Amino acid sequence: MSDKFSTEVRSRIMSRIKGRNTKPELKVRSFLHRAGLRFRLHKKGLPGKPDIVLPKYKTVIFVQGCFWHQHPGCKHSGIPLSNISYWKPKLNRTIERDKKNQEKLSHSGWHVTVLWECEITEGSLLKLVEEVKRADEETAE
């Protein structure tokens, strides 16, 4: 099946997709800041340049889009029917890259948290803040 958009239109659509400062990421950052947690953004020296880095808590947070990172079981994570030979390998490479980066971070002593776009709620963010603070208390003991 071919793409329903022309190459020029598809290119324009894809060029508008942001990799940083997305709405889900801004929502998480705002919540963390209101909870009194201070963080760094997209730290270059760390594998995968995590979206949010909480150095004090040795914690990194990846805010991942369900489609781009293929959230297992999510209705938003399907592979497009047009140009499957392009999309399937591309999305599989993203999954593998994410896995490798998260393993490297874990082996380096970082607590890795993945927040999926479809699961960002007030409750999930409260739970995240509690986990970060609890991990800090356990480290201090």
Side-chain angles (χ1 to χ4, degrees):
M1 178 185 250
S2 64
D3 197 343
K4 63 183 176 183
F5 296 110
S6 69
T7 305
E8 295 80 20
V9 171
R10 175 62 65 197
S11 178
R12 192 168 59 246
I13 291 169
M14 296 301 285
S15 72
R16 291 195 169 109
I17 296 172
K18 299 190 308 181
R20 293 181 177 190
N21 302 322
T22 62
K23 285 182 184 178
E25 189 179 321
L26 292 174
K27 186 175 184 178
V28 172
R29 286 167 26 190
S30 175
F31 192 90
L32 293 174
H33 194 270
R34 284 193 315 267
L37 298 174
R38 299 303 177 249
F39 48 83
R40 297 284 172 252
L41 302 175
H42 312 287
K43 194 144 169 58
K44 290 180 182 171
L46 295 174
K49 295 183 202 167
D51 298 312
I52 300 168
V53 180
L54 298 134
K56 177 181 175 183
Y57 304 97
K58 194 85 169 154
T59 298
V60 297
I61 301 169
F62 289 95
V63 181
Q64 296 187 332
C66 296
F67 171 73
W68 293 106
H69 297 270
Q70 293 293 287
H71 183 194
C74 179
K75 66 180 180 180
H76 304 293
S77 66
I79 295 176
L81 298 176
S82 62
N83 208 357
I84 293 173
S85 62
Y86 168 78
W87 283 108
K88 194 168 185 166
K90 176 179 180 58
L91 296 172
N92 285 336
R93 282 191 310 270
T94 301
I95 293 167
E96 286 304 311
R97 184 188 67 226
D98 289 345
K99 195 162 101 176
K100 284 180 185 172
N101 287 331
Q102 291 167 20
E103 286 173 0
K104 286 178 186 176
L105 287 162
S106 290
H107 291 308
S108 299
W110 289 90
H111 300 283
V112 178
T113 300
V114 174
L115 293 177
W116 292 100
E117 172 183 29
C118 71
E119 295 177 342
I120 297 173
T121 63
E122 184 94 9
S124 69
L125 295 175
L126 281 170
K127 184 179 173 188
L128 171 66
V129 169
E130 289 171 9
E131 288 174 8
V132 168
K133 290 183 176 179
R134 191 176 328 113
D136 183 51
E137 290 169 2
E138 291 171 3
T139 307
E141 294 175 355

